[in-house]
Amino acid sequence: MIGIIRVFTTEQVEILEQHGKVIKKYYDVPTVTKCISNQHFGIFNDETEALAVPKIVELGKKMEQEGSTLLVISCAADPAIDELRNAVSIPVIGAGSAAALTALAIGEPVGVLGITETVPQVVKNLLGKLLVGNIRPEGVTNTTDLLTPTGRQKGLEAARLLVDQGAKVILFACTGFSTIGLADLLRDELNVPIIDAVESEGMFAATLYRQLSISTIK
Amino acid sequence: MIGIIRVFTTEQVEILEQHGKVIKKYYDVPTVTKCISNQHFGIFNDETEALAVPKIVELGKKMEQEGSTLLVISCAADPAIDELRNAVSIPVIGAGSAAALTALAIGEPVGVLGITETVPQVVKNLLGKLLVGNIRPEGVTNTTDLLTPTGRQKGLEAARLLVDQGAKVILFACTGFSTIGLADLLRDELNVPIIDAVESEGMFAATLYRQLSISTIK
C-alpha cells in the first residue's frame, strides 16, 4: 500500500482522496490517504510549515506501522521530507522533487506554474539553470480560485506566457492544479510536455511500489 | 512511437530489440529500435565516444523524420545527449540520467553497480553526495561476462557489498545488467530498491509518450 500524506486538514473524504484518485487513475496501485490535524489552511508560510513538520513525521511513522510500504508527501514544497526519511525505514517520495526530477529527465528549459510568487525551494534547487520562468495565474492566490472556468482560462494563459518566455516544459509547482485537471487542458492546447506534480509523485511511487511488492512476495 | 537508440552495432535483431522488449514488458508502449553503424564494440573510451556522437545525432534526426515522437539514448553514459537535444525538436531521454534521477526521487544513499572502474560522469554529477560506492562485479569487464550463472552470482555479491557499504538503493550504471534480468534477481534477494537503467528510461519515456499522444490526438 502506498501511503499518501496530505499536508492540510480536511474532514471531507472526497477532497482528502483527490490525489490518490489521480494516482489510481494513472497507475492503478493501491493507496491510503491521511491528512495532518488542526491545520485547515495547510502550509502557506514558514510558520505554518514549521508547525506541520512534526505532524507529517508522526503521521508518516503511524502509516508505516499500519502497513504502508512507501510514503508520498503530496505537496510541491516537499515539507518535512528529510525529517520523515530519517524517521521511517521505508522510501519517501515528495511531489516537488518528483516533478522537478521528471523535468530534468527531459532536460529542456522549464516554466513553472504556481500559486505563489516564488518557486518552492526544492524545485528551484533541482532545476537550477533550466528554470526559465515562474508565473502565478492572474487572480489566483489559492487552489479554490482555480476551481472556476476563469481560473482554468487564466492557467492556460499563464502557461502560454511561459512558452513565450522560452519554456519547453511546463511544471506545476502546486498540487492544486491536479485536482482541476489543468494538465489535460494544457495538453490539448499546447505542444509541450506538462508535468503535473501529483502524476509525477505517482509515477515514482507506483514504479517503486511494484518492485517492493516483488521483494515482499519472496 | 518511442525511438530507442542503441550505441553499438549489431545485425542480430534479438540483441538489438533487448531494451525495447524490457520497456514493452513494463510499460506496454510502442517502440522502434535502431543502432549506430560500424561500431561493433560500442563505446568503451573517450575516442569511441567521440566517434559515436555524430552517428547518434544523425540516427536520432532520421528517427524523428521517420515518426518517433520521443527518443531514448539507451546507454548509461548518456552519450551525445546535449548534441541530440539541440538537433531534434522532440524530447530526448538518456538511460544514465533517467536512472540517477529515479535514485534522487528516493533520496537515500546509492550504490552503483557497473562494468567499469568509474561511474559515468552524468550519473556521478546527478547523484552528488548520495553516491556512496561503486563496484564492478568480480571478473566482469563487459556485458558478455554477465551472461553466465557465475556472472549473475558475482553481480549479487557486488550488490550485497554495496549494501554493506551503506547503500540503501542499488543503481545499475550499465544497460547490460537489464538484459540478464539482474534486477529481479536482486529484488528477490535484497530488501532495497533496485534501479535498472533501461526500466528507468522506459518509465520516463512511457509517461511522456502517453501525454504527447494526448496532444497529438487533439
Side-chain angles (χ1 to χ4, degrees):
Chain A
M1 190 75 81
I2 296 171
I4 300 172
I5 298 176
R6 302 293 305 269
V7 301
F8 72 113
T9 308
T10 181
E11 286 79 31
Q12 296 182 57
V13 176
E14 199 180 332
I15 291 174
L16 181 73
E17 303 280 357
Q18 278 170 333
H19 295 183
K21 206 171 144 188
V22 170
I23 293 172
K24 177 88 185 158
K25 174 184 158 196
Y26 281 95
Y27 299 104
D28 195 26
V29 281
T31 64
V32 55
T33 306
K34 293 190 185 286
C35 67
I36 60 172
S37 60
N38 298 322
Q39 212 158 329
H40 283 84
F41 296 100
I43 293 176
F44 50 91
N45 56 23
D46 290 349
E47 288 69 34
T48 46
E49 180 163 353
L51 202 63
V53 168
K55 297 180 191 175
I56 294 169
V57 172
E58 285 315 305
L59 183 55
K61 285 163 70 175
K62 187 167 167 267
M63 292 173 85
E64 180 183 22
Q65 283 159 13
E66 291 173 356
S68 289
T69 49
L70 71 101
L71 296 170
V72 175
I73 301 173
S74 203
C75 167
D78 280 13
I81 196 163
D82 292 333
E83 293 86 344
L84 184 54
R85 282 177 176 157
N86 286 332
V88 296
S89 63
I90 53 178
V92 181
I93 304 291
S97 46
L101 293 166
T102 304
L104 289 182
I106 302 173
E108 299 286 352
V110 181
V112 170
L113 209 64
I115 59 165
T116 54
E117 293 297 331
T118 53
V119 177
Q121 202 60 46
V122 59
V123 175
K124 201 171 165 178
N125 289 348
L126 282 168
L127 293 182
K129 62 182 195 322
L130 281 185
L131 176 61
V132 294
N134 171 44
I135 299 183
R136 176 169 63 80
E138 198 190 316
V140 172
T141 53
N142 62 55
T143 54
T144 318
D145 294 330
L146 288 166
L147 294 170
T148 62
T150 314
R152 285 163 61 94
Q153 187 57 34
K154 294 294 179 192
L156 175 58
E157 282 170 23
R160 282 212 169 101
L161 262 174
L162 287 166
V163 171
D164 290 344
Q165 288 176 11
K168 293 190 171 172
V169 173
I170 302 291
L171 181 152
F172 295 170
C174 173
T175 59
F177 292 117
S178 306
T179 45
I180 63 159
L182 188 64
D184 281 345
L185 173 69
L186 298 191
R187 283 167 193 153
D188 278 342
E189 299 285 338
L190 303 174
N191 255 326
V192 299
I194 308 298
I195 298 178
D196 176 299
V198 176
E199 291 176 22
S200 292
E201 71 186 22
M203 175 185 78
F204 287 111
T207 301
L208 200 49
Y209 174 77
R210 292 205 178 98
Q211 64 160 280
L212 291 171
S213 305
I214 293 176
S215 298
T216 315
I217 291 163
K218 75 183 173 196
Chain B
M1 189 74 83
I2 296 171
I4 300 172
I5 297 175
R6 302 293 304 270
V7 301
F8 72 113
T9 307
T10 181
E11 287 78 30
Q12 296 182 56
V13 176
E14 200 181 332
I15 290 175
L16 181 74
E17 303 280 358
Q18 277 169 335
H19 295 183
K21 205 171 146 189
V22 171
I23 293 173
K24 176 87 185 161
K25 173 184 158 195
Y26 281 95
Y27 299 104
D28 195 26
V29 281
T31 64
V32 57
T33 306
K34 291 189 186 288
C35 66
I36 60 171
S37 59
N38 298 322
Q39 212 158 329
H40 284 84
F41 296 100
I43 293 175
F44 50 91
N45 57 23
D46 290 349
E47 288 70 32
T48 46
E49 181 164 354
L51 200 64
V53 168
K55 297 181 190 175
I56 294 169
V57 172
E58 285 315 304
L59 183 56
K61 285 164 71 176
K62 186 166 168 267
M63 292 174 85
E64 180 184 21
Q65 284 161 13
E66 291 173 354
S68 288
T69 50
L70 72 100
L71 296 170
V72 176
I73 301 173
S74 204
C75 166
D78 280 14
I81 197 162
D82 293 332
E83 292 87 344
L84 184 54
R85 282 177 176 157
N86 286 333
V88 297
S89 63
I90 52 178
V92 180
I93 304 291
S97 46
L101 293 165
T102 303
L104 288 181
I106 302 172
E108 300 286 352
V110 181
V112 170
L113 209 63
I115 60 163
T116 54
E117 292 297 331
T118 54
V119 177
Q121 202 60 46
V122 59
V123 174
K124 200 170 166 179
N125 289 349
L126 282 168
L127 292 182
K129 61 183 194 324
L130 280 185
L131 176 61
V132 295
N134 171 44
I135 299 183
R136 175 169 63 79
E138 198 190 318
V140 171
T141 53
N142 61 56
T143 53
T144 318
D145 293 332
L146 288 165
L147 294 170
T148 60
T150 313
R152 285 163 60 94
Q153 188 56 33
K154 294 295 179 191
L156 176 58
E157 281 170 23
R160 282 211 169 102
L161 260 173
L162 287 166
V163 171
D164 290 344
Q165 287 175 10
K168 292 190 171 172
V169 174
I170 302 292
L171 182 152
F172 294 170
C174 174
T175 59
F177 292 116
S178 305
T179 44
I180 61 159
L182 188 65
D184 281 345
L185 173 70
L186 299 191
R187 284 167 192 152
D188 279 343
E189 297 286 339
L190 304 173
N191 255 327
V192 299
I194 308 298
I195 298 179
D196 175 299
V198 176
E199 291 175 23
S200 292
E201 71 185 23
M203 176 185 78
F204 287 112
T207 301
L208 200 50
Y209 174 77
R210 292 206 177 96
Q211 64 159 282
L212 292 171
S213 305
I214 294 176
S215 299
T216 315
I217 291 163
K218 75 181 174 199

PDB file of all heavy atoms in Angstrom, chain A residues 85 88, chain B residues 106 108-111 132 162-163 166-170 191-194:
ATOM      1  N   ARG A  85      12.239  10.985   6.163  1.00  0.00           N
ATOM      2  CA  ARG A  85      13.157   9.922   5.700  1.00  0.00           C
ATOM      3  C   ARG A  85      14.005   9.399   6.858  1.00  0.00           C
ATOM      4  O   ARG A  85      14.308   8.209   6.927  1.00  0.00           O
ATOM      5  CB  ARG A  85      14.047  10.441   4.558  1.00  0.00           C
ATOM      6  CG  ARG A  85      13.307  10.487   3.229  1.00  0.00           C
ATOM      7  CD  ARG A  85      14.143  11.070   2.089  1.00  0.00           C
ATOM      8  NE  ARG A  85      13.418  10.997   0.827  1.00  0.00           N
ATOM      9  CZ  ARG A  85      13.640  11.762  -0.241  1.00  0.00           C
ATOM     10  NH1 ARG A  85      14.595  12.672  -0.200  1.00  0.00           N
ATOM     11  NH2 ARG A  85      12.922  11.616  -1.337  1.00  0.00           N
ATOM     12  N   VAL A  88      11.553   7.031   9.281  1.00  0.00           N
ATOM     13  CA  VAL A  88      10.934   5.761   8.863  1.00  0.00           C
ATOM     14  C   VAL A  88      11.955   4.896   8.113  1.00  0.00           C
ATOM     15  O   VAL A  88      13.005   5.387   7.699  1.00  0.00           O
ATOM     16  CB  VAL A  88       9.688   5.998   7.960  1.00  0.00           C
ATOM     17  CG1 VAL A  88       8.600   6.723   8.731  1.00  0.00           C
ATOM     18  CG2 VAL A  88      10.064   6.755   6.685  1.00  0.00           C
TER      19      VAL A  88
ATOM     20  N   ILE B 106      14.133   8.966  -4.567  1.00  0.00           N
ATOM     21  CA  ILE B 106      14.093   8.190  -3.315  1.00  0.00           C
ATOM     22  C   ILE B 106      14.912   8.907  -2.252  1.00  0.00           C
ATOM     23  O   ILE B 106      14.565   8.889  -1.067  1.00  0.00           O
ATOM     24  CB  ILE B 106      14.606   6.749  -3.554  1.00  0.00           C
ATOM     25  CG1 ILE B 106      13.758   6.066  -4.645  1.00  0.00           C
ATOM     26  CG2 ILE B 106      14.587   5.938  -2.260  1.00  0.00           C
ATOM     27  CD1 ILE B 106      14.286   4.708  -5.102  1.00  0.00           C
ATOM     28  N   GLU B 108      17.893   8.422  -0.929  1.00  0.00           N
ATOM     29  CA  GLU B 108      18.715   7.669   0.028  1.00  0.00           C
ATOM     30  C   GLU B 108      20.077   7.364  -0.605  1.00  0.00           C
ATOM     31  O   GLU B 108      20.227   7.437  -1.825  1.00  0.00           O
ATOM     32  CB  GLU B 108      18.006   6.355   0.395  1.00  0.00           C
ATOM     33  CG  GLU B 108      16.632   6.519   1.040  1.00  0.00           C
ATOM     34  CD  GLU B 108      16.691   6.997   2.492  1.00  0.00           C
ATOM     35  OE1 GLU B 108      17.800   7.064   3.056  1.00  0.00           O
ATOM     36  OE2 GLU B 108      15.618   7.301   3.051  1.00  0.00           O
ATOM     37  N   PRO B 109      21.083   6.976   0.218  1.00  0.00           N
ATOM     38  CA  PRO B 109      22.419   6.678  -0.306  1.00  0.00           C
ATOM     39  C   PRO B 109      22.390   5.596  -1.392  1.00  0.00           C
ATOM     40  O   PRO B 109      21.687   4.595  -1.261  1.00  0.00           O
ATOM     41  CB  PRO B 109      23.177   6.188   0.933  1.00  0.00           C
ATOM     42  CG  PRO B 109      22.449   6.787   2.092  1.00  0.00           C
ATOM     43  CD  PRO B 109      21.010   6.877   1.683  1.00  0.00           C
ATOM     44  N   VAL B 110      23.156   5.838  -2.465  1.00  0.00           N
ATOM     45  CA  VAL B 110      23.106   4.978  -3.644  1.00  0.00           C
ATOM     46  C   VAL B 110      24.423   4.236  -3.857  1.00  0.00           C
ATOM     47  O   VAL B 110      25.493   4.832  -3.823  1.00  0.00           O
ATOM     48  CB  VAL B 110      22.837   5.834  -4.917  1.00  0.00           C
ATOM     49  CG1 VAL B 110      22.752   4.948  -6.162  1.00  0.00           C
ATOM     50  CG2 VAL B 110      21.567   6.660  -4.747  1.00  0.00           C
ATOM     51  N   GLY B 111      24.340   2.946  -4.087  1.00  0.00           N
ATOM     52  CA  GLY B 111      25.489   2.143  -4.501  1.00  0.00           C
ATOM     53  C   GLY B 111      25.359   1.839  -5.976  1.00  0.00           C
ATOM     54  O   GLY B 111      24.298   1.438  -6.438  1.00  0.00           O
ATOM     55  N   VAL B 132      27.497   6.548  -2.633  1.00  0.00           N
ATOM     56  CA  VAL B 132      28.322   6.040  -1.532  1.00  0.00           C
ATOM     57  C   VAL B 132      29.254   4.899  -1.932  1.00  0.00           C
ATOM     58  O   VAL B 132      30.106   4.489  -1.146  1.00  0.00           O
ATOM     59  CB  VAL B 132      27.481   5.602  -0.311  1.00  0.00           C
ATOM     60  CG1 VAL B 132      26.777   6.793   0.305  1.00  0.00           C
ATOM     61  CG2 VAL B 132      26.477   4.514  -0.690  1.00  0.00           C
ATOM     62  N   LEU B 162      27.759  -3.462  -1.669  1.00  0.00           N
ATOM     63  CA  LEU B 162      27.324  -2.057  -1.691  1.00  0.00           C
ATOM     64  C   LEU B 162      26.374  -1.775  -0.527  1.00  0.00           C
ATOM     65  O   LEU B 162      26.449  -0.726   0.118  1.00  0.00           O
ATOM     66  CB  LEU B 162      26.659  -1.728  -3.031  1.00  0.00           C
ATOM     67  CG  LEU B 162      27.613  -1.611  -4.231  1.00  0.00           C
ATOM     68  CD1 LEU B 162      26.845  -1.638  -5.550  1.00  0.00           C
ATOM     69  CD2 LEU B 162      28.444  -0.328  -4.134  1.00  0.00           C
ATOM     70  N   VAL B 163      25.480  -2.711  -0.249  1.00  0.00           N
ATOM     71  CA  VAL B 163      24.556  -2.546   0.887  1.00  0.00           C
ATOM     72  C   VAL B 163      25.358  -2.485   2.193  1.00  0.00           C
ATOM     73  O   VAL B 163      25.092  -1.654   3.065  1.00  0.00           O
ATOM     74  CB  VAL B 163      23.499  -3.674   0.913  1.00  0.00           C
ATOM     75  CG1 VAL B 163      22.686  -3.635   2.195  1.00  0.00           C
ATOM     76  CG2 VAL B 163      22.580  -3.570  -0.313  1.00  0.00           C
ATOM     77  N   GLY B 166      26.677   0.801   3.004  1.00  0.00           N
ATOM     78  CA  GLY B 166      25.725   1.855   3.375  1.00  0.00           C
ATOM     79  C   GLY B 166      24.713   2.212   2.304  1.00  0.00           C
ATOM     80  O   GLY B 166      23.871   3.091   2.510  1.00  0.00           O
ATOM     81  N   ALA B 167      24.768   1.540   1.162  1.00  0.00           N
ATOM     82  CA  ALA B 167      23.798   1.845   0.101  1.00  0.00           C
ATOM     83  C   ALA B 167      22.398   1.396   0.519  1.00  0.00           C
ATOM     84  O   ALA B 167      22.226   0.301   1.041  1.00  0.00           O
ATOM     85  CB  ALA B 167      24.197   1.152  -1.194  1.00  0.00           C
ATOM     86  N   LYS B 168      21.431   2.267   0.310  1.00  0.00           N
ATOM     87  CA  LYS B 168      20.040   1.897   0.558  1.00  0.00           C
ATOM     88  C   LYS B 168      19.275   1.785  -0.753  1.00  0.00           C
ATOM     89  O   LYS B 168      18.064   1.540  -0.766  1.00  0.00           O
ATOM     90  CB  LYS B 168      19.397   2.901   1.510  1.00  0.00           C
ATOM     91  CG  LYS B 168      20.002   2.816   2.906  1.00  0.00           C
ATOM     92  CD  LYS B 168      19.229   3.626   3.906  1.00  0.00           C
ATOM     93  CE  LYS B 168      19.750   3.333   5.313  1.00  0.00           C
ATOM     94  NZ  LYS B 168      19.170   4.232   6.297  1.00  0.00           N
ATOM     95  N   VAL B 169      19.971   2.038  -1.826  1.00  0.00           N
ATOM     96  CA  VAL B 169      19.435   1.913  -3.179  1.00  0.00           C
ATOM     97  C   VAL B 169      20.582   1.392  -4.053  1.00  0.00           C
ATOM     98  O   VAL B 169      21.711   1.831  -3.884  1.00  0.00           O
ATOM     99  CB  VAL B 169      18.987   3.296  -3.722  1.00  0.00           C
ATOM    100  CG1 VAL B 169      18.572   3.207  -5.185  1.00  0.00           C
ATOM    101  CG2 VAL B 169      17.868   3.898  -2.875  1.00  0.00           C
ATOM    102  N   ILE B 170      20.276   0.455  -4.959  1.00  0.00           N
ATOM    103  CA  ILE B 170      21.304  -0.012  -5.905  1.00  0.00           C
ATOM    104  C   ILE B 170      20.934   0.475  -7.297  1.00  0.00           C
ATOM    105  O   ILE B 170      19.788   0.332  -7.731  1.00  0.00           O
ATOM    106  CB  ILE B 170      21.395  -1.558  -5.925  1.00  0.00           C
ATOM    107  CG1 ILE B 170      21.707  -2.135  -4.541  1.00  0.00           C
ATOM    108  CG2 ILE B 170      22.422  -2.032  -6.968  1.00  0.00           C
ATOM    109  CD1 ILE B 170      23.087  -1.840  -4.007  1.00  0.00           C
ATOM    110  N   ASN B 191      16.667  -6.300   0.185  1.00  0.00           N
ATOM    111  CA  ASN B 191      15.498  -5.518   0.594  1.00  0.00           C
ATOM    112  C   ASN B 191      15.610  -4.033   0.268  1.00  0.00           C
ATOM    113  O   ASN B 191      15.087  -3.200   0.992  1.00  0.00           O
ATOM    114  CB  ASN B 191      15.281  -5.697   2.097  1.00  0.00           C
ATOM    115  CG  ASN B 191      14.108  -6.618   2.354  1.00  0.00           C
ATOM    116  OD1 ASN B 191      13.149  -6.612   1.574  1.00  0.00           O
ATOM    117  ND2 ASN B 191      14.167  -7.392   3.426  1.00  0.00           N
ATOM    118  N   VAL B 192      16.328  -3.701  -0.790  1.00  0.00           N
ATOM    119  CA  VAL B 192      16.473  -2.293  -1.166  1.00  0.00           C
ATOM    120  C   VAL B 192      15.964  -2.095  -2.589  1.00  0.00           C
ATOM    121  O   VAL B 192      15.944  -3.039  -3.382  1.00  0.00           O
ATOM    122  CB  VAL B 192      17.949  -1.831  -1.072  1.00  0.00           C
ATOM    123  CG1 VAL B 192      18.478  -1.954   0.347  1.00  0.00           C
ATOM    124  CG2 VAL B 192      18.829  -2.606  -2.046  1.00  0.00           C
ATOM    125  N   PRO B 193      15.532  -0.871  -2.931  1.00  0.00           N
ATOM    126  CA  PRO B 193      15.118  -0.619  -4.313  1.00  0.00           C
ATOM    127  C   PRO B 193      16.281  -0.838  -5.282  1.00  0.00           C
ATOM    128  O   PRO B 193      17.411  -0.444  -4.990  1.00  0.00           O
ATOM    129  CB  PRO B 193      14.690   0.857  -4.297  1.00  0.00           C
ATOM    130  CG  PRO B 193      14.361   1.154  -2.865  1.00  0.00           C
ATOM    131  CD  PRO B 193      15.313   0.302  -2.062  1.00  0.00           C
ATOM    132  N   ILE B 194      15.979  -1.455  -6.417  1.00  0.00           N
ATOM    133  CA  ILE B 194      16.978  -1.714  -7.459  1.00  0.00           C
ATOM    134  C   ILE B 194      16.602  -0.853  -8.672  1.00  0.00           C
ATOM    135  O   ILE B 194      15.502  -0.986  -9.208  1.00  0.00           O
ATOM    136  CB  ILE B 194      16.969  -3.201  -7.883  1.00  0.00           C
ATOM    137  CG1 ILE B 194      17.078  -4.143  -6.668  1.00  0.00           C
ATOM    138  CG2 ILE B 194      18.070  -3.463  -8.920  1.00  0.00           C
ATOM    139  CD1 ILE B 194      18.351  -4.008  -5.867  1.00  0.00           C
TER     140      ILE B 194
END
